[in-house]
Amino acid sequence: MYVWTCLLYVALCHSPTFSQGVFEINLEHEFYHLTSVMKNGLHAALQPSIDIPAPHDLAAEHFKAQETQVHEDFEMQTFAGPVFAHLRSSLGLTEEEYQHSLSNGNYLQFVSNSKSKADFFVTNNKRFFLKTQSKREVQFLLSNLQAYMDHLEKYPHSLIVKFLGVHRIVIPNEIKKYFIVMQSVFYPDERINIRYDIKGCEVGRWTDPAKGNHIIKVLKDNNFEGEHITLGHQKSWFVNQVKIDTTFLRGLNVLDYSLLLANQPLHRDELEGRHSLANNTVCTTNPTEAHAPCTIPLSLLDENSGQRPPDTTDCGSDQRQHARGETTGDATPLQEINCQATGTSTEMELQEFHNKHCRLLPNFENAIHVLDGPQHRYFVGIIDIFTVYGQRKRLENLWKRSRFPGRAFSTVSPPAYSQRFCQWVQNHTQ
């Protein structure tokens, strides 16, 4: 069970490396040796994908690939390396910057109440999240990797967390651990002022709010009572994408996933510049028509900004933040999406653009998990997709039905979980 509830107590603040609710894993930290080995192993494991570009087309052998690198004091195994290199490339993430993030500086630690007893780390720049996993969870991910990749190709702005690597570290007579690398949903987090982990139920879904400036807590469903995700015209896109993603997860027979949610107020400069689409946004396709190109109407540009759409040959190609080179279903880079003017300014044209559910992406390296509303910027992502509804969960469901009659708890069948999850999003988005 993957819960990002970070519980960091003021009593631990005597550490000189305590900052913004996370701990730097320094020489005195219990995980320093493990994370140092992980960093060294990842640096070496990524070098082949730097030397040889990721395959443009994936084949069956890429999904079964395993590579073991033997170091002086440990071994590093990499699973389906070409597949994850392909995914990183589709996100516009270069292997050099990925390698640098994973191997530069000390990792940071979150203190979590995860029932899985997993260890949670984040890279020094807070861009990538690392989590130790059980062998069963890794096998589940790898066995469904083809379906996962197909889903992301069809829906490049899926809210499901992006897995960027699967590895196993072996230190003889000491440690054998599987771990995964993910894109952090909460990046960059400097201005985030509140965080939630939402499952769409009520039992056990309250966290006492933090007391003090040096504590980060991820709140839960019951803490969100009376609040809303205010997206304006992007509501329909968001609600539809959640339905699409949960339908996929239901097909994998999983439950207990969460919607990570955070927000920050938009600053004046962001509010004033939000309509300058040539500088700040690109669009993807309608989630229900993944292969249809999307055109940005000239009328959507701020008339006072003086900005005009760039030529279609390099639309946004100089904007590194424009979705980091993500691709549409037919592998067309988002920077190359048609940006020609389509006519004069009319309310009908504006409404047609909104009705296509085109997603507007802000100036963010992590734009895949960011949505802007009228007054707030939201960080959203669906995490924890490893809990299969097997015999153990069925028995847990029977026990909870007798323990919490008439109340909503997390352990229900995947169809019921998906329906309730989507209903929560529908009810709390405006």
Side-chain angles (χ1 to χ4, degrees):
M1 185 177 182
Y2 181 6
V3 181
W4 268 43
T5 305
C6 308
L7 189 57
L8 304 178
Y9 293 97
V10 176
L12 297 175
C13 292
H14 66 275
S15 169
T17 56
F18 183 85
S19 174
Q20 300 296 320
V22 293
F23 292 98
E24 182 181 355
I25 301 176
N26 57 22
L27 282 167
E28 290 75 35
H29 198 285
E30 62 175 317
F31 288 125
Y32 182 78
H33 178 53
L34 172 61
T35 55
S36 294
V37 169
M38 291 169 68
K39 286 192 300 180
N40 292 336
L42 286 167
H43 186 277
L46 290 168
Q47 194 58 48
S49 60
I50 292 176
D51 298 334
I52 302 175
H56 180 72
D57 297 313
L58 295 176
E61 61 265 22
H62 294 137
F63 289 87
K64 300 176 182 178
Q66 293 188 26
E67 182 177 356
T68 300
Q69 293 180 320
V70 180
H71 299 261
E72 183 177 353
D73 300 318
F74 67 94
E75 293 183 1
M76 171 72 82
Q77 293 177 301
T78 299
F79 301 90
V83 177
F84 291 109
H86 177 88
L87 176 56
R88 296 191 294 266
S89 177
S90 74
L91 296 173
L93 178 63
T94 70
E95 294 299 277
E96 289 84 358
E97 64 181 321
Y98 181 62
Q99 183 191 57
H100 180 77
S101 291
L102 290 176
S103 56
N104 185 56
N106 292 336
Y107 285 173
L108 310 174
Q109 182 199 14
F110 283 123
V111 176
S112 170
N113 67 349
S114 170
K115 293 182 179 179
S116 68
K117 306 301 181 183
D119 300 318
F120 300 85
F121 309 115
V122 67
T123 55
N124 192 266
N125 61 6
K126 300 184 182 180
R127 189 173 180 182
F128 303 108
F129 201 79
L130 299 92
K131 177 178 179 280
T132 59
Q133 302 281 166
S134 69
K135 183 177 181 180
R136 182 201 63 80
E137 290 168 331
V138 166
Q139 289 176 335
F140 174 81
L141 175 58
L142 293 176
S143 65
N144 290 287
L145 187 55
Q146 178 72 71
Y148 172 77
M149 293 294 292
D150 290 345
H151 181 75
L152 296 187
E153 182 179 1
K154 188 174 183 180
Y155 305 107
H157 288 120
S158 166
L159 299 172
I160 297 175
V161 67
K162 305 305 178 290
F163 299 108
L164 304 178
V166 176
H167 307 272
R168 183 178 186 237
I169 200 83
V170 178
I171 304 176
N173 304 316
E174 188 176 345
I175 293 173
K176 293 181 180 179
K177 285 185 180 291
Y178 290 93
F179 67 94
I180 58 175
V181 184
M182 299 168 282
Q183 195 168 4
S184 176
V185 175
F186 296 155
Y187 173 81
D189 69 345
E190 287 81 6
R191 285 161 48 191
I192 290 176
N193 56 12
I194 194 165
R195 299 165 173 83
Y196 294 93
D197 178 296
I198 301 296
K199 291 185 180 292
C201 59
E202 60 172 319
V203 174
R205 303 304 296 165
W206 169 267
T207 295
D208 291 332
K211 296 179 180 180
N213 295 329
H214 295 291
I215 302 176
I216 287 180
K217 281 192 177 182
V218 180
L219 305 178
K220 299 180 182 178
D221 302 58
N222 294 334
N223 299 96
F224 201 80
E225 188 67 30
E227 302 291 334
H228 286 88
I229 306 168
T230 304
L231 295 177
H233 66 80
Q234 293 200 74
K235 172 184 175 178
S236 59
W237 182 93
F238 176 61
V239 171
N240 275 354
Q241 190 59 55
V242 169
K243 289 179 180 178
I244 290 168
D245 287 336
T246 57
T247 297
F248 168 71
L249 296 176
R250 183 176 65 203
L252 297 183
N253 197 37
V254 300
L255 68 155
D256 223 17
Y257 41 87
S258 298
L259 179 73
L260 278 187
L261 172 66
N263 68 53
Q264 66 182 47
L266 286 171
H267 284 195
R268 181 178 177 182
D269 61 326
E270 295 163 332
L271 291 170
E272 291 176 347
R274 65 164 56 254
H275 297 301
S276 189
L277 300 190
N279 283 341
N280 298 331
T281 64
V282 293
C283 63
T284 66
T285 62
N286 183 333
T288 61
E289 299 174 0
H291 297 281
C294 175
T295 300
I296 300 177
L298 177 63
S299 59
L300 289 183
L301 294 178
D302 187 348
E303 295 179 358
N304 297 322
S305 70
Q307 299 291 338
R308 311 304 294 171
D311 293 336
T312 60
T313 54
D314 62 350
C315 177
S317 61
D318 60 339
Q319 300 296 322
R320 183 167 178 258
Q321 63 270 25
H322 280 188
R324 309 290 301 152
E326 296 148 282
T327 60
T328 62
D330 56 359
T332 302
L334 289 186
Q335 292 96 327
E336 298 176 8
I337 290 178
N338 187 354
C339 293
Q340 290 178 327
T342 60
T344 59
S345 176
T346 65
E347 287 296 321
M348 183 178 297
E349 185 180 41
L350 183 62
Q351 187 61 46
E352 181 183 3
F353 180 77
H354 289 167
N355 288 343
K356 286 183 179 179
H357 302 164
C358 292
R359 182 175 183 186
L360 306 181
L361 301 177
N363 263 9
F364 260 62
E365 290 182 315
N366 191 28
I368 200 75
H369 286 299
V370 177
L371 282 169
D372 273 2
Q375 299 294 329
H376 288 84
R377 173 161 291 164
Y378 295 91
F379 296 74
V380 291
I382 296 175
I383 63 165
D384 190 12
I385 67 170
F386 298 116
T387 304
V388 177
Y389 192 62
Q391 185 62 28
R392 181 177 177 181
K393 285 297 177 181
R394 288 184 172 87
L395 292 174
E396 185 178 331
N397 171 267
L398 293 174
W399 179 83
K400 287 187 175 181
R401 286 166 61 183
S402 62
R403 178 71 175 82
F404 305 107
R407 299 183 66 190
F409 47 83
S410 63
T411 310
V412 294
S413 69
Y417 194 94
S418 171
Q419 181 180 13
R420 188 176 64 190
F421 193 91
C422 290
Q423 190 62 55
W424 188 98
V425 170
Q426 176 73 48
N427 293 344
H428 292 83
T429 306
Q430 59 186 23

